[in-house]
Amino acid sequence: MRIIVGISGGIAAYKIPFLIRHLKKIGAEVKCIMTPSSIDFISPLVLSALSNEPVGIEFWNKETGEWNNHVHYGEWADLLVIAPATANTIAKLANGACDNLLLATYLSMRSKTLVVPAMDLDMYKHPTVLRNLEQLSKDGVHILPAESGELASGLVGEGRMAEPETIVGIIQTILAVEPVLLNKTVLITAGPTHEAIDPVRFIGNNSSGKMGFALAHRALQLGAKVILISGPTSCHLQHDALQLIHVTTAVEMFNAVQIHWKESQIGVFAAAVADFRPLKMENTKIKKSGDLLSLELTTNPDIIEWASTNKEDNQITVGFALETNNEKENALLKLSRKKMDVIILNSLNEKGAGFETDTNKISIFDSKGQHQEFSLKQKTEVARDIFKYINDYNQ
Ligand code: C5P
């Protein structure tokens, strides 16, 4: 779970360190964004130390010169939790105001937002506050109502921020996913392969590994054990149920798949495997001589084809196709030629789809003749769609 805790300027901000600690205990990644007025109530240093992340306050960090990108925050998080949410922040959220980093992040959120109000009892029952909360609720924001009790003003009534334990409980409910892959092992290949020409050169491609890692992340969320066999990438993932195997070449990837395929029920082959490798790797750096250099190449093993022809009834293979022309025909040909169960087509003709980008636009075809098209989405969202499709296919 990736959670942004947004803090606005209310006395209940003193409870936020406890909220962060609870969230970290349940394995969440936490980043904090504070409104400028909230730093009078709680030190950013405390929040930074507990979350282990820099705290965002201004759009621009005057000391480091760094730009705090609200769009990146909005893409990163699974949930934005605004706690405490003051009457002022609630009013701004309800009206689309955007004069601080927290409000801009709310407007950039791709996922859900939870608002946890905290204020004095008369403010909390004021018609404008009630109206703004109702508006937020209509906008799809989750509201965790304030509790009754002793307030900072000395008055007793409704307006106390919900306790951190209660907030964590609601967060878990909002983000709950049905563990449909519990007791299943999912094997995923990711990234490019590098085929050495000599000690310093290789044949490779632009695959970033982002799609494969997003798939692994989703499978883990759904309760699976994941064996992720990755070529060279800069992607990271850590989880108790993850076995991450790093490889460099297609042959190494093939060997790892051969070892682990038997124990897997679902194979998602997202790697952009090099089709050819140099027949011979030179032991020393090839020297420049003349204008022409010929390299003799040999074909690499087709990993998904091997897995598809060596599968039991309880196993399915899912492959990818990146096509530039006759996309659908080529994808369907590949589906049957490689005996896959499901193929995911992403087109290089689509802006924002394919290699290196954070987004992808896919169509899925399967061996039962079914087909579904999807819009351009973040790769994390695409991974959700893919596993939903696989789950429906397996029913
Ligand atoms: O033939 P093409 O490379 O377009 O096929 C793409 C699909 O086949 C992908 O799922 C890719 O991971 C898989 N593949 C493979 N082994 C290869 C080449 C491709 O598993 N040698």
Side-chain angles (χ1 to χ4, degrees):
M1 283 188 280
R2 293 171 161 181
I3 296 177
I4 296 176
V5 179
I7 301 111
S8 61
I11 187 70
Y14 82 89
K15 292 183 185 170
I16 298 307
F18 298 99
L19 174 63
I20 297 170
R21 288 201 56 190
H22 282 299
L23 288 172
K24 297 291 275 188
K25 257 191 211 152
I26 60 165
E29 289 177 61
V30 180
K31 293 187 183 189
C32 293
I33 301 179
M34 303 180 76
T35 63
S37 67
S38 71
I39 61 175
D40 293 333
F41 293 90
I42 179 96
S43 154
L45 183 69
V46 175
L47 304 186
S48 169
L50 290 172
S51 62
N52 223 356
E53 290 279 349
V55 173
I57 303 169
E58 305 285 351
F59 286 101
W60 178 52
N61 184 331
K62 293 182 184 72
E63 270 136 46
T64 62
E66 270 169 45
W67 167 248
N68 281 319
N69 193 326
H70 53 91
V71 176
H72 284 171
Y73 274 119
E75 284 174 353
W76 176 83
D78 295 318
L79 183 71
L80 167 64
V81 184
I82 304 186
T86 58
N88 181 45
T89 289
I90 289 170
K92 288 179 170 184
L93 292 169
N95 289 286
C98 189
D99 62 359
N100 65 43
L101 182 64
L102 177 57
L103 296 169
T105 301
Y106 166 67
L107 292 178
S108 305
M109 275 302 291
R110 303 246 177 180
S111 315
K112 298 164 186 165
T113 298
L114 168 67
V115 161
V116 191
M119 62 198 80
D120 212 45
L121 78 167
D122 293 309
M123 295 169 90
Y124 192 54
K125 57 181 184 223
H126 197 281
T128 55
V129 173
L130 295 176
R131 197 169 61 228
N132 288 332
L133 284 172
E134 203 182 311
Q135 182 58 51
L136 285 178
S137 187
K138 276 190 199 147
D139 294 340
V141 170
H142 296 264
I143 312 284
L144 176 56
E147 295 176 353
S148 233
E150 218 173 286
L151 302 169
S153 59
L155 298 173
V156 176
E158 237 179 321
R160 261 173 83 99
M161 188 179 82
E163 292 302 321
E165 294 85 347
T166 315
I167 302 175
V168 172
I170 293 292
I171 290 172
Q172 284 178 306
T173 312
I174 294 173
L175 293 181
V177 278
E178 220 188 311
V180 290
L181 295 181
L182 207 63
N183 300 323
K184 290 240 157 70
T185 300
V186 179
L187 181 149
I188 297 172
T189 67
T193 62
H194 288 180
E195 313 296 330
I197 298 170
D198 66 20
V200 292
R201 303 185 181 96
F202 59 83
I203 296 172
N205 59 62
N206 285 331
S207 168
S208 61
K210 285 178 187 168
M211 192 65 245
F213 275 69
L215 285 160
H217 185 242
R218 183 61 184 164
L220 290 163
Q221 278 182 338
L222 294 172
K225 177 187 171 205
V226 175
I227 301 166
L228 176 59
I229 303 168
S230 176
T233 80
S234 54
C235 299
H236 300 282
L237 192 58
Q238 260 189 335
H239 194 285
D240 288 348
L242 172 71
Q243 186 177 354
L244 178 53
I245 301 168
H246 293 285
V247 295
T248 304
T249 66
V251 169
E252 285 169 11
M253 188 173 275
F254 184 44
N255 290 341
V257 168
Q258 284 183 304
I259 293 169
H260 293 284
W261 181 224
K262 240 195 235 108
E263 65 194 276
S264 314
Q265 288 76 51
I266 299 170
V268 186
F269 296 81
V273 185
D275 289 324
F276 297 94
R277 66 176 184 279
L279 190 58
K280 174 170 175 281
M281 179 193 149
E282 299 298 334
N283 290 329
T284 51
K285 194 177 161 197
I286 300 173
K287 294 272 179 292
K288 203 156 88 178
S289 65
D291 291 337
L292 279 178
L293 172 71
S294 296
L295 280 178
E296 213 173 348
L297 304 177
T298 180
T299 49
N300 270 327
D302 196 302
I303 302 172
I304 192 169
E305 195 171 335
W306 175 86
S308 296
T309 42
N310 287 281
K311 67 180 158 77
E312 304 290 333
D313 290 346
N314 67 339
Q315 291 180 301
I316 68 160
T317 53
V318 180
F320 280 75
L322 188 72
E323 302 293 336
T324 50
N325 61 311
N326 296 333
E327 302 173 336
K328 187 179 163 189
E329 292 76 7
N330 285 333
L332 287 173
L333 274 176
K334 211 163 274 181
L335 177 76
S336 65
R337 183 166 49 83
K338 299 198 188 195
K339 300 180 190 65
M340 306 176 191
D341 296 282
V342 177
I343 190 155
I344 296 146
L345 168 68
N346 39 52
S347 160
L348 269 184
N349 297 329
E350 295 282 352
K351 201 166 177 288
F355 282 169
E356 286 183 317
T357 61
D358 287 326
T359 50
N360 208 357
K361 182 174 181 325
I362 59 162
S363 317
I364 307 186
F365 302 87
D366 68 37
S367 60
K368 296 177 185 167
Q370 304 170 114
H371 165 223
Q372 200 176 342
E373 307 254 343
F374 298 84
S375 57
L376 185 74
K377 295 179 182 188
Q378 290 295 307
K379 283 184 174 166
T380 48
E381 293 295 314
V382 174
R384 278 173 208 223
D385 290 339
I386 291 174
F387 275 108
K388 163 116 190 20
Y389 195 99
I390 294 173
N391 196 44
D392 292 347
Y393 177 90
N394 257 344
Q395 296 305 308

